[in-house]
Amino acid sequence: MKPIYLDYHATTPCDPRVVDKMSPYFSERFGNASSGHIYGQEASKAVEEAREQVASLIGASPREIIFTSGATESNNMAIFGIARAYRDRGNHIVTSPTEHRSVLDPCKALQRDGFDVTFVKVDRHGRVDPEEVRRAITDQTILISLMFVNNEIGTLHPIAEIGKIAQEKRVIFHCDAVQAAGKVPVGLKSTAIDLLSLSAHKMYGPKGAGALFLRQKSPRIRIPSMMLGAGQEKGLRSGTINVSGIVGFGEACALTKKEFEGEVTRLRALRDRLKDGIFANLDGVTLNGHPTERAPNNLHLSFGGIDGRVLLESLVDVAVSAGAACTSTSVEPSHVLKAIGVNDELAAASLRFSVGRFTIEGEIDRAVEIVCRTVKALRAKNLAARTAA
Ligand code: PMP
């Protein structure tokens, strides 16, 4: 039997309704969306319908959506794009140390090219103080890039307040909202975000599809073409359009929007059941991330008194993550846990749990039992080894 999947931050299975919608676009409706004939028209109509579905989820207009291969591309496009387009206005970028690497690494690359980057410190829950963001802004600042929901510890940055500051100071605001879509309301009508990144595979759509929202009115954001070629996506992102992926992404957004309220309540109840179950059965457990300002599907815990290196391999029946999945090949302690002051030893003995659309109560109860049994066994082993030594 496969382990219980509690790693929805890493990726989600495609919803069967998404797969059904995508299926004809691999075969009978295989056209290239750029072709003028009926095959092409069929494909481009489906892409435009998906653009409306994506826009509708975040309260944007369809012409503000650029399809990409995922959020890594969207984040790179946003950061390098703004840096290139607005270089004559200034060379300063504001971000935080707990962003995803697809934001941090472009910022670091720009630093090597002469940009100045301020990493505004986060508090012990991983949240930036909007006033610190305000203080970091100089007359050279062209971009603020901060994520909506942290992909490791689930903490929410105060995005609405930061948007107001960015607007007031006339600084462009980019937000990586990959882990927010479907978990917290993302409404661009009321929140002053200028660029926003999304990824289909984090919301029950396929891998390899994503979007960048680019505000078109007050202010109109312009970025240069990042991929040159046949001029698809308004010339910003050339390359034959991934029609099936985009159709799936659109459907995933429509389902997320339709089911949002009930699903958030359900996820929160499952996450709290997991948390309460573990805390009721184990001492020496600490919660990482903000106690209330966090994604409803995230639980991040550190377990005292065990050797963290063996924790994940002992936990064969539950699929969770020890840090960000994207950096799981490296043995470095998570940069997010470091930034919130968790020491290396405890960081190694930490687990990220994330529940999702297909998680059921029975799985949570089994996971509680497995996690508690495993941690108790590891603690006993640790104690025995220390007594023998
Ligand atoms: N940003 C965040 C917050 C993420 O969690 C991820 C995926 N781990 C990404 C960006 C990258 O997304 P993608 O896999 O679509 O490139």
Side-chain angles (χ1 to χ4, degrees):
M1 208 169 63
K2 276 175 123 180
I4 301 164
Y5 190 75
L6 293 179
D7 205 9
Y8 281 81
H9 277 318
T11 195
T12 60
C14 254
D15 190 300
R17 296 168 290 182
V18 168
V19 177
D20 282 351
K21 189 83 191 266
M22 290 171 71
S23 174
Y25 294 91
F26 290 106
S27 46
E28 70 263 33
R29 294 188 211 151
F30 62 89
N32 184 327
S34 303
S35 305
H37 47 63
I38 182 71
Y39 294 89
Q41 286 168 15
E42 217 169 45
S44 83
K45 188 164 167 276
V47 168
E48 293 320 309
E49 192 185 308
R51 204 183 301 279
E52 282 175 25
Q53 291 170 311
V54 175
S56 164
L57 175 70
I58 56 174
S61 149
R63 62 198 179 85
E64 297 177 306
I65 302 297
I66 306 295
F67 285 119
T68 64
S69 64
T72 297
E73 184 183 335
S74 302
N75 286 343
N76 274 261
M77 199 170 172
I79 294 165
F80 286 125
I82 295 297
R84 269 173 63 188
Y86 295 82
R87 180 72 183 85
D88 53 344
R89 276 224 222 137
N91 72 338
H92 181 229
I93 296 171
V94 176
T95 186
S96 90
T98 55
E99 299 301 304
H100 189 263
R101 279 192 56 193
S102 55
V103 164
L104 291 177
D105 286 8
C107 287
K108 288 176 187 164
L110 287 170
Q111 262 180 329
R112 292 191 289 274
D113 281 346
F115 275 80
D116 227 356
V117 181
T118 301
F119 298 89
V120 174
K121 74 172 189 336
V122 294
D123 66 14
R124 68 193 170 93
H125 299 310
R127 207 167 145 85
V128 292
D129 175 353
E131 288 312 309
E132 294 258 358
V133 175
R134 182 195 293 281
R135 275 195 290 278
I137 296 171
T138 70
D139 60 357
Q140 287 296 304
T141 311
I142 52 168
L143 176 68
I144 298 171
S145 180
L146 290 167
M147 70 206 317
F148 220 120
V149 170
N150 186 275
N151 53 303
E152 291 190 42
I153 55 175
T155 295
L156 304 172
H157 278 323
I159 290 300
E161 286 158 84
I162 294 159
K164 277 192 198 128
I165 294 169
Q167 202 169 33
E168 194 187 301
K169 299 275 193 184
R170 296 177 176 275
V171 175
I172 295 167
F173 181 26
H174 164 248
C175 182
D176 173 350
V178 167
Q179 301 287 353
K183 319 307 183 297
V184 293
V186 179
L188 295 178
K189 291 209 169 78
S190 55
T191 311
I193 295 170
D194 300 310
L195 300 96
L196 179 133
S197 306
L198 292 174
S199 180
H201 78 96
K202 308 283 187 180
M203 44 192 294
Y204 313 96
K207 291 162 185 65
L212 179 66
F213 156 82
L214 262 184
R215 189 174 286 283
Q216 291 301 299
K217 237 170 61 189
S218 48
R220 177 169 186 181
I221 305 296
R222 57 189 172 87
I223 56 170
S225 303
M226 287 288 139
M227 190 77 85
L228 304 178
Q232 288 90 344
E233 296 298 281
K234 292 198 234 158
L236 288 178
R237 204 270 182 182
S238 285
T240 298
I241 291 181
N242 171 12
V243 179
S244 55
I246 289 168
V247 165
F249 184 21
E251 187 64 11
C253 288
L255 293 170
T256 296
K257 184 176 177 190
K258 191 165 103 205
E259 298 172 359
F260 181 79
E261 298 292 339
E263 184 60 1
V264 166
T265 311
R266 202 185 71 87
L267 292 174
R268 183 171 287 117
L270 287 170
R271 190 273 313 274
D272 288 346
R273 189 179 180 95
L274 180 63
K275 174 169 157 254
D276 296 345
I278 293 175
F279 275 90
N281 287 288
L282 281 179
D283 296 325
V285 184
T286 46
L287 175 72
N288 299 309
H290 202 282
T292 53
E293 294 298 313
R294 71 186 300 134
N297 60 331
N298 171 289
L299 181 67
H300 199 293
L301 302 174
S302 295
F303 300 89
I306 53 172
D307 178 354
R309 286 168 305 178
V310 293
L311 177 59
L312 206 58
E313 65 196 53
S314 312
L315 211 59
V316 284
D317 294 323
V318 189
V320 291
S321 168
C326 328
T327 54
S328 65
T329 46
S330 99
V331 287
E332 283 287 296
S334 134
H335 68 284
V336 176
L337 296 181
K338 246 182 164 40
I340 61 169
V342 177
N343 69 41
D344 289 1
E345 195 186 334
L346 208 53
S350 300
L351 297 175
R352 174 186 75 176
F353 300 87
S354 40
V355 300
R357 187 175 289 168
F358 303 105
T359 309
I360 52 172
E361 256 185 21
E363 290 179 311
I364 296 291
D365 295 344
R366 265 175 36 230
V368 167
E369 192 269 316
I370 295 165
V371 169
C372 294
R373 177 163 37 86
T374 307
V375 171
K376 280 178 185 164
L378 290 175
R379 281 180 179 165
K381 219 160 130 187
N382 221 4
L383 191 68
R386 267 191 282 148
T387 322

